Amino acid sequence: MFHFPMATRRYALLGAASFLTLAVTSCDPDDEVTPFTPPVTTQTVYVVNEGPFLTGSGSVSVFSKATKAVQKDPFLAANGRGVGNVLQSMTIVGDNAYLVANNSNWVEVVTLADFKSVKKITGLSQPRYLVQVAPNKAYLTEWQGNFTSGYTAGRVSVLDLTTNTVTKTIPVGVNPEQLTVAGGKVYVANSDGNTLTVINPTTDAVEGTVTVPAGPKNVTTDASGNVWVLSDDYTEPLASLVRFSPGTPTQQIRITFPEDYRNGNLRVNGAGDKIYVGLATGVYQLPITATSLPATPLIRRSFYGLGIDPQDNTIYAGTGSFSADGRVVRFSATGAPVDSFAVGIAPNGFLFK
């Protein structure tokens, strides 16, 4: 659960991660997965609304690209209750969606078509992000400890997607956040430190760590198979965007910029050839060969949540407070505003289908 003042909750409130591009279809490391196979068209946008902290519930709003109609909270309509406090992230696996309720310590499994609850996975510890790593297996990051007495080493829970149960846990660093798959391995960002834990998804064994700048939270993988990391630690004057190849993890390209609590969105487009990073100074678009930030942002505005439509690179940006309904602003691929629509409280991430 979150224990940070509202202005410094970047540790916990980063938006739905790069899981849109991380579905893995084989657990054999020799059978490489191509993570960038966007659909010809996307019809529906799922907006993850974090909701208020400590009280109330998060929600998922569903936006139809064709009609521009918005279902504000289909989970509530289908189940007669909220999904849970602080909806941290959502992952689509086949016909189901996994809704990670951080402060409630559970994951709701729903059928994507109608958001009816299939199962509630309980017994978790401050769950954060979930990514599929094999046809019937997913990894879920979890924090352990608390702000008052101190956080301890986190863990990755291994989920059987057939039974939707936890089969084992894997120890990782303190306050693990997002995960990404690259080169047949899973990279876990340990946000209260300066490492990524490297896990073999076939054996569930930890194979080592990669040292990066302090405060890694967001991770993703580009079309060339490179890992990208957004690190931002309030005790450091500079934040960093890092790129490395899984084969040579110590050979890193590091792009630095001023630390700011509004830094916190890292996304890749459907083709995997463009990186988007949301900073205090705006949203920047970079080629995957970049060695520096562009001189000017694509959009001169900071947002809480960020998503890139894999069909056409339309940018979805979430904004608002933690006490009232938020809005999503759509921008064209060139950064021109298109329109906006109302959603739930604190929209932090987007999925497209």
Side-chain angles (χ1 to χ4, degrees), residues 4 38 41 47 54 93 101 106 139 210 229-230 279 296 305 318 323 351-352:
F4 298 101
T41 59
V47 184
L54 295 179
V93 179
W106 65 56
Y139 283 173
V210 176
V229 185
L230 178 59
L279 305 178
T296 57
S323 58
L351 294 88
F352 304 86

Side-chain angles (χ1 to χ4, degrees), residues 288-324:
I288 59 176
T289 56
T291 57
S292 63
L293 282 181
T296 57
L298 182 67
I299 302 170
R300 292 181 180 274
R301 184 175 173 185
S302 177
F303 295 97
Y304 191 58
L306 190 68
I308 312 301
D309 190 333
Q311 177 184 334
D312 56 10
N313 292 343
T314 296
I315 300 166
Y316 287 70
T319 187
S321 70
F322 294 99
S323 58

Side-chain angles (χ1 to χ4, degrees), residues 45 70-71 87 93 110 121 123 128 133 156 158 191 200-201 212 230 234 237-238 250 254 261 268 279 316 327:
V45 183
V70 178
Q71 299 177 62
L87 185 58
V93 179
V110 303
I121 304 172
R128 309 292 295 164
V133 300
V156 168
V158 181
S191 67
N200 184 322
V212 295
L230 178 59
Y234 75 96
L238 294 176
T250 60
R254 296 188 177 188
Y261 75 91
V268 64
L279 305 178
Y316 287 70
R327 294 196 70 82

Side-chain angles (χ1 to χ4, degrees), residues 50-76:
E50 200 168 282
F53 183 51
L54 295 179
T55 60
S57 176
S59 64
V60 176
S61 297
V62 181
F63 175 74
S64 168
K65 290 173 59 179
T67 66
K68 297 186 179 181
V70 178
Q71 299 177 62
K72 186 177 178 182
D73 190 350
F75 182 92
L76 177 63

Side-chain angles (χ1 to χ4, degrees), residues 66-200:
T67 66
K68 297 186 179 181
V70 178
Q71 299 177 62
K72 186 177 178 182
D73 190 350
F75 182 92
L76 177 63
N79 301 286
R81 58 181 174 85
V83 68
N85 187 239
V86 183
L87 185 58
Q88 183 67 32
S89 62
M90 169 179 165
T91 303
I92 296 173
V93 179
D95 295 329
N96 289 340
Y98 290 73
L99 311 180
V100 182
N102 171 267
N103 206 38
S104 292
N105 295 310
W106 65 56
V107 173
E108 281 278 3
V109 187
V110 303
T111 50
L112 190 61
D114 56 14
F115 274 79
K116 289 183 178 179
S117 179
V118 173
K119 185 172 183 177
K120 181 186 290 185
I121 304 172
T122 59
L124 304 174
S125 174
Q126 304 167 75
R128 309 292 295 164
Y129 296 94
L130 183 149
V131 64
Q132 185 180 10
V133 300
N136 296 313
K137 183 194 291 188
Y139 283 173
L140 173 70
T141 53
E142 298 178 67
W143 290 14
Q144 296 190 102
N146 57 67
F147 181 74
T148 302
S149 59
Y151 290 102
T152 58
R155 68 190 185 193
V156 168
S157 281
V158 181
L159 271 61
D160 182 329
L161 295 176
T162 303
T163 61
N164 290 317
T165 57
V166 175
T167 60
K168 67 175 77 170
T169 60
I170 304 168
V172 293
V174 180
N175 293 0
E177 289 284 3
Q178 293 182 354
L179 319 86
T180 193
V181 178
K185 310 297 181 184
V186 179
Y187 293 80
V188 181
N190 301 310
S191 67
D192 194 357
N194 65 338
T195 64
L196 309 181
T197 298
V198 185
I199 303 174
N200 184 322

